[in-house]
């Protein structure tokens, strides 16, 4: 009885009544879940000699991360987790423009925090694999755990088009899934279908640039690597990655 009463009082004290704050915290948590799983999958692929080169591990982890993120906060903030999606929602008048910059900042912050969590989780593996040197290029680079970098053969123009096309396909697919006038997805399974959409895009369009499809997913962790020791090279176009 006493425990139940204590929990009731605690819930009352912790309850957040401001709707915008609730949405921002939900968006922060959803983005954190998305990115920590995505980067964790990448960390395993890069730092483990046994599975290095198993790109499907990374793609599957990223797709499932989208599903987890939507289930985490879809009912509160909509679980945008992606500035491109927030922009698309604004353009079709399903999301107010004044919230757009707020959500973008929250999404980047969530990505930054999750990058820090992955760095802590794989701290020993990263330093062991890199031989004690944090580099963006070379055979033991570890920067690509956190941000996406183009393949050696990709030009700036091709890289830009790669991201425009990939993100465009994602937006069209998500809008189709969300459209109530379209062929309905069974209620509650929308996150699963979106995850499959992401997996299909990553499997078919990931070779050029790693298929980030999400500015926050790339910028937040890239900012983290900049301050965590990889340096300004993380913002330069790397032509040779070893």
């Amino acid at each position: 009885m006493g425990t139940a009463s204590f929990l009731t009082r605690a819930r009352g004290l912790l309850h957040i009544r401001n709707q915008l704050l609730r949405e921002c915290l939900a968006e922060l948590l959803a983005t954190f879940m998305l990115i920590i799983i995505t980067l964790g999958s990448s960390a395993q692929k890069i730092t483990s000699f046994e599975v290095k080169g198993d790109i499907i591990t990374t793609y599957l982890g990223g797709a499932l991360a989208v599903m987890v993120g939507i289930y985490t906060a879809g009912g509160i903030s909509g679980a945008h987790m992606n500035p491109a999606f927030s922009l698309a929602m604004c353009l079709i008048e399903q999301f107010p423009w004044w919230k757009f910059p707020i959500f973008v900042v929250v999404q980047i912050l969530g990505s930054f925090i999750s990058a820090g969590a992955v760095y802590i989780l794989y701290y020993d593996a990263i330093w062991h694999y890199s031989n004690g040197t944090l580099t963006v290029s070379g055979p033991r680079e570890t920067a690509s755990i956190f941000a996406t970098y183009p393949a050696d053969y990709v030009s700036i123009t091709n890289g830009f088009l790669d991201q425009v096309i990939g993100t465009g396909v994602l937006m069209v697919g998500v809008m189709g899934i969300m459209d109530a006038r379209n062929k309905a997805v069974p209620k509650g399974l929308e996150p699963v279908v979106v995850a499959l959409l992401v997996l299909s895009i990553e499997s078919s369009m990931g070779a050029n640039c790693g298929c980030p499809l999400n500015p926050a997913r790339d910028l937040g962790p890239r900012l983290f690597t900049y301050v965590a020791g990889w340096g300004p090279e993380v913002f330069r176009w790397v032509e040779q990655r070893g």
Side-chain angles (χ1 to χ4, degrees):
M1 191 71 175
T3 303
S5 177
F6 171 77
L7 291 175
T8 300
R9 290 198 299 270
R11 280 196 294 267
L13 290 172
L14 296 174
H15 179 68
I16 300 174
R17 293 174 175 80
N18 184 281
Q19 182 61 28
L20 177 60
L21 182 56
R22 284 165 57 88
E23 292 177 1
C24 287
L25 290 175
E27 190 68 14
L28 182 72
L29 180 59
T31 306
F32 177 85
M33 296 298 287
L34 166 69
I35 305 303
I36 194 171
I37 296 173
T38 300
L39 299 187
S41 300
S42 181
Q44 288 195 144
K45 169 185 171 289
I46 290 174
T47 62
S48 174
F49 293 97
E50 289 77 16
V51 298
K52 185 171 176 62
D54 184 12
I55 197 68
I56 298 301
T57 301
T58 304
Y59 289 164
L60 184 58
L64 293 176
V66 172
M67 180 185 70
V68 173
I70 298 174
Y71 276 127
T72 298
I76 303 173
S77 68
H80 293 191
M81 304 179 292
N82 186 339
F85 180 74
S86 297
L87 177 62
M89 294 296 285
C90 289
L91 291 173
I92 63 173
E93 300 182 346
Q94 295 295 312
F95 190 68
W97 280 100
W98 67 269
K99 283 186 180 181
F100 174 68
I102 299 174
F103 264 47
V104 170
V105 171
V106 169
Q107 290 157 359
I108 293 174
L109 177 61
S111 298
F112 184 93
I113 295 172
S114 60
V118 170
Y119 178 70
I120 293 171
L121 179 63
Y122 283 98
Y123 180 86
D124 289 342
I126 289 171
W127 284 96
H128 172 71
Y129 176 79
S130 65
N131 289 327
T133 304
L134 302 179
T135 61
V136 179
S137 59
R140 292 296 180 91
E141 64 82 18
T142 48
S144 60
I145 290 173
F146 300 93
T148 54
Y149 293 87
D152 298 344
Y153 54 80
V154 177
S155 66
I156 294 178
T157 301
N158 193 191
F160 176 78
L161 289 176
D162 176 89
Q163 289 309 293
V164 169
I165 293 172
T167 304
V169 171
L170 175 65
M171 293 301 104
V172 171
V174 171
M175 294 302 172
I177 293 168
M178 293 173 54
D179 192 346
R181 299 166 298 180
N182 210 341
K183 189 172 180 60
V185 174
K187 186 173 178 58
L189 291 180
E190 295 90 342
V192 178
V193 178
V194 173
L196 291 173
L197 168 65
V198 171
L199 180 60
S200 68
I201 296 173
E202 290 180 331
S203 299
S204 60
M205 303 182 189
N208 284 338
C209 299
C211 209
L213 306 176
N214 183 343
R217 175 260 179 272
D218 190 86
L219 180 57
R222 194 180 296 272
L223 287 170
F224 173 80
T225 54
Y226 173 71
V227 301
W230 279 265
E233 190 179 357
V234 300
F235 291 106
R236 300 192 183 110
W237 187 267
V238 182
E239 295 181 356
Q240 297 294 329
R241 297 189 49 75

